[in-house]
């Protein structure tokens, strides 16, 4: 739903006690989708493999998320120079961050992240080849595989960033399309991920499982 920024006036219009309410925030969902389509077209034309990740990927799978921050694309580090050159030719501003695992860009006031490493793991051709092709606001784009999406989201959890509330609707919406055994195997060294998977069992999102001997030994 598009929210048109506007102001409402209360009281009389003569200035005697009237005030203008705060304008509603702009609808970032549609703005981010427009940027996603723009960058997606450049990436498709480049011939470099890529996939949507993050919140826009969840949106493409039909998860009711609000897009508020940026459009995230995964690509291989060796393709970054080619992609950056093409984006510049398109008039998209490139911002060099201090991190060496992504490139940031801006278009239409929205932020774009070109990511070469997901939760500490290099983006590979194998990961990108598993992507699903889905319509994103009427444009078909590769979207990270649901299992890989959950692994990346869970592996990124830490004591300083652990928002289960945002992750729960993603897990509910994707549960039939995720290989949960692979998720458990690839996140078993991440305590916040293990706890979240246990919570999914308590909530009935996933079948409850007993801890393995190795997990039980770690708790003792």
């Amino acid at each position: 739903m598009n929210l048109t920024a506007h102001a409402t006036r209360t009281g009389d219009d003569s200035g005697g006690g009237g005030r203008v309410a705060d304008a509603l925030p702009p609808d970032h969902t549609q703005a981010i989708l427009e940027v996603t389509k723009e960058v997606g077209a450049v990436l498709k034309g480049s011939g470099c493999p890529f996939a949507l990740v993050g919140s826009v990927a969840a949106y493409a799978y039909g998860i009711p998320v609000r897009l508020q921050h940026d459009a995230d694309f995964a690509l291989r580090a060796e393709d970054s120079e080619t992609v950056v050159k093409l984006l510049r030719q398109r008039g998209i501003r490139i911002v060099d961050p201090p991190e060496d695992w992504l490139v940031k860009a801006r278009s239409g006031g929205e932020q774009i992240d070109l990511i070469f490493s997901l939760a500490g793991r290099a983006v590979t051709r194998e990961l990108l080849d598993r992507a699903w092709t889905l319509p994103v606001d009427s444009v078909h784009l590769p979207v990270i595989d649901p299992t890989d999406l959950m692994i990346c989201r869970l592996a990124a959890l830490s004591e300083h960033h652990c928002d289960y509330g945002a992750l729960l609707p993603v897990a509910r919406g994707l549960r039939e399309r995720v290989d949960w055994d692979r998720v458990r195997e690839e996140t078993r060294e991440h305590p916040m991920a293990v706890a979240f998977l246990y919570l999914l069992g308590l909530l009935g999102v996933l079948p409850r499982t007993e801890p393995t001997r190795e997990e039980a030994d770690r708790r003792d």
Side-chain angles (χ1 to χ4, degrees):
M1 178 178 68
N2 289 330
L3 299 176
T4 303
H6 68 281
T8 58
R9 184 174 296 275
T10 60
D12 62 56
D13 291 332
S14 64
R19 66 180 180 82
V20 177
D22 293 336
L24 291 175
D27 178 8
H28 280 268
T29 294
Q30 192 57 45
I32 289 174
L33 289 177
E34 293 301 324
V35 167
T36 298
K37 292 186 291 183
E38 179 186 16
V39 175
V42 173
L43 289 169
K44 287 170 75 172
S46 74
C48 299
F50 72 97
L52 276 171
V53 293
S55 296
V56 182
Y59 179 94
Y61 281 113
I63 311 301
V65 295
R66 295 185 64 190
L67 305 181
Q68 292 293 323
H69 302 295
D70 50 31
D72 296 325
F73 296 84
L75 67 154
R76 300 178 302 175
E78 56 263 39
D79 294 326
S80 61
E81 288 188 14
T82 298
V83 170
V84 165
K85 179 180 178 181
L86 292 171
L87 290 176
R88 281 196 170 114
Q89 291 174 355
R90 179 81 178 219
I92 295 174
R93 183 165 64 93
I94 303 299
V95 182
D96 293 323
E99 301 90 350
D100 61 0
W101 51 271
L102 84 164
V103 169
K104 290 183 177 290
R106 293 193 71 84
S107 177
E110 302 300 330
Q111 182 169 295
I112 305 148
D113 285 351
L114 307 173
I115 301 170
F116 321 133
S117 177
L118 295 168
R121 305 178 185 189
V123 174
T124 63
R125 182 61 186 256
E126 181 182 13
L127 180 142
L128 297 175
D129 283 346
R130 289 197 294 267
W132 297 27
T133 299
L134 298 172
V136 181
D137 200 31
S138 78
V139 174
H140 284 77
L141 294 172
V143 181
I144 188 172
D145 173 84
T147 301
D148 290 319
L149 177 59
M150 285 304 308
I151 290 170
C152 293
R153 295 288 292 267
L154 287 173
L157 296 176
S158 70
E159 293 181 14
H160 305 291
H161 178 73
C162 189
D163 186 356
Y164 286 170
L167 195 53
L168 184 56
V170 178
R172 287 186 186 276
L174 293 179
R175 61 181 172 182
E176 307 250 336
R177 292 170 279 187
V178 170
D179 180 348
W180 292 104
D181 288 337
R182 183 158 76 88
V183 172
R184 289 188 180 93
E185 175 61 26
E186 296 199 26
T187 62
R188 60 192 177 91
E189 300 299 330
H190 300 268
M192 301 302 174
V194 173
F196 181 73
L197 292 171
Y198 180 69
L199 176 63
L200 292 183
L202 293 178
L203 295 174
V205 177
L206 299 178
R208 293 183 63 172
T209 58
E210 295 300 321
T212 65
R213 175 66 62 85
E214 182 181 353
E215 291 171 340
D217 290 342
R218 281 205 302 267
R219 295 175 188 175
D220 292 339

